[in-house]
Amino acid sequence: MRSRTTAAAALLLALTACTTGPSLENRGAVTAAPGDSRHLTIGSAGFTESDLLAQMYAQLLDQAGYRTSLITVANREIYEPALESGQIDVVPEYAATFADWLNAKAHGPDAPPVGSPDLAATMKALRELAAPRGLTVLDPGRAVDQNAFAVTAAYAREHHLATLSDLGASGLKVRLAAGDECVQRPYCEPGLKKVYGIDITGVDPKGVGTTQAKRAVQSGQDQMVLTTTTDATLDQFGLVLLADDRHLQNADYVVPVVNRARAGAEGVTKALGKLNDVLTTADLAAMNRQVDSWRRLAQDVARTYLRDKGLVR
């Protein structure tokens, strides 16, 4: 029976004390047969979408005959070493973000990023970084949670906007509600100007996808907000996403990452791979909405979805 451990605080202490992972002399020695532990710990990063993915992973693995338990470890600096050491066996991750995080861990914080809009190149870099740490990155599916930009539906209708290219071609002046780092990040103000020719007149530092930022766009104070593709609350503010039709954003596709020695066998890969043919970005957004707006439990939302797709009984 799945349960979120009641000893989470104690386990967190254990995780922080055991963060070494494979020894340096053994890193790169990934030719040993992948393990197939029958009791697996699934990690969640503690936000709604991660909880939903972890619940779906656990229920699919339960269906495949594994015993699973779930734990929330909200800090990647803690859960990634725990994944290396086998205290956590499976976590949902995002391809480009995790590739850049591992790259910075291996080569320093100033290392050039390896995540990119190219999914194949991002996955290649990610797997090369993960393998020496005893980690296997399973195949991505169709769901992607990446940065996205939204305007009001009325604004989009008035100016005939469906894509960011449309906005650039319109010549409209745009004040952008986003995090203060947007002025420097290549995917944000500089990229919008360079790739799409959008006339950004200023960045209103209200955060990424925050209620305050969305209200600023809803009221007309700002014209566009930086959010994510699985934002579950856009319709509550009358907002719609503009398509990133020139692929400015990195390929942050959802990927399961497993400890090879404990969960690298075909059974785990096959069980989790069932999501790849069905789970979409829109599905994730809809499930996020059920948890965040309708106050349903992530476990129940995940179970209903998997049953509706015929993946669990």
Side-chain angles (χ1 to χ4, degrees):
M1 179 177 180
R2 275 176 272 103
S3 65
R4 203 176 290 276
T5 179
T6 58
L11 182 53
L12 284 177
L13 290 174
L15 297 185
T16 57
C18 302
T19 58
T20 56
S23 62
L24 289 175
E25 62 268 23
N26 290 330
R27 286 187 176 172
V30 294
T31 56
D36 193 23
S37 173
R38 306 310 294 178
H39 186 183
L40 300 174
T41 299
I42 318 299
S44 165
F47 56 93
T48 296
E49 187 169 293
S50 188
D51 287 344
L52 284 163
L53 290 164
Q55 287 285 352
M56 286 190 283
Y57 290 0
Q59 292 177 33
L60 287 168
L61 289 166
D62 286 347
Q63 178 81 12
Y66 293 87
R67 291 178 57 239
T68 63
S69 57
L70 286 87
I71 183 171
T72 297
V73 186
N75 189 319
R76 187 180 278 118
E77 284 75 13
I78 295 176
Y79 75 67
E80 188 279 331
L83 184 63
E84 288 188 32
S85 68
Q87 292 170 294
I88 293 176
D89 302 304
V90 185
V91 294
E93 264 292 356
Y94 300 92
T97 295
F98 196 47
D100 284 338
W101 193 88
L102 287 179
N103 188 48
K105 184 175 181 177
H107 302 117
D110 296 326
V114 295
S116 76
D118 185 328
L119 177 59
T122 296
M123 287 297 297
K124 182 176 184 293
L126 174 55
R127 283 170 165 156
E128 288 176 352
L129 288 160
R133 297 184 176 277
L135 306 180
T136 296
V137 183
L138 305 186
D139 289 341
R142 301 155 61 191
V144 57
D145 185 353
Q146 59 192 175
N147 295 303
F149 296 91
V151 299
T152 65
Y155 185 85
R157 286 194 302 270
E158 179 183 358
H159 299 291
H160 309 289
L161 307 177
T163 67
L164 290 171
S165 288
D166 293 339
L167 183 56
S170 73
L172 292 165
K173 295 186 181 300
V174 175
R175 181 172 163 88
L176 176 63
D180 54 9
E181 72 279 3
C182 177
V183 296
Q184 297 177 326
R185 296 286 175 85
Y187 66 79
C188 204
E189 181 183 359
L192 291 172
K193 289 179 174 179
K194 180 179 179 180
V195 175
Y196 287 107
I198 297 173
D199 187 1
I200 304 293
T201 60
V203 172
D204 188 3
K206 286 185 164 60
V208 179
T210 63
T211 296
Q212 184 184 23
K214 292 171 190 171
R215 284 178 176 163
V217 176
Q218 183 183 39
S219 69
Q221 176 183 341
D222 300 328
Q223 287 70 53
M224 188 162 68
V225 60
L226 170 62
T227 183
T228 66
T229 51
T230 59
D231 190 322
T233 64
L234 291 177
D235 56 348
Q236 297 177 22
F237 298 89
L239 304 178
V240 294
L241 294 178
L242 296 181
D244 180 22
D245 54 311
R246 296 183 185 174
H247 307 293
L248 171 63
Q249 303 305 320
N250 281 347
D252 260 330
Y253 283 75
V254 174
V255 289
V257 182
V258 305
N259 177 287
R260 176 184 170 87
R262 290 182 48 81
E266 182 180 356
V268 172
T269 301
K270 185 176 180 180
L272 299 183
K274 292 181 178 180
L275 271 183
N276 288 0
D277 293 333
V278 297
L279 185 65
T280 67
T281 304
D283 291 342
L284 269 182
M287 285 190 280
N288 285 339
R289 183 180 303 111
Q290 291 180 56
V291 175
D292 291 338
S293 299
W294 303 357
R295 302 304 180 191
R296 294 188 62 197
L297 295 176
Q299 181 176 2
D300 296 338
V301 173
R303 182 184 298 111
T304 298
Y305 178 80
L306 294 177
R307 284 178 175 169
D308 288 347
K309 297 298 182 180
L311 298 183
V312 300
R313 292 188 293 273

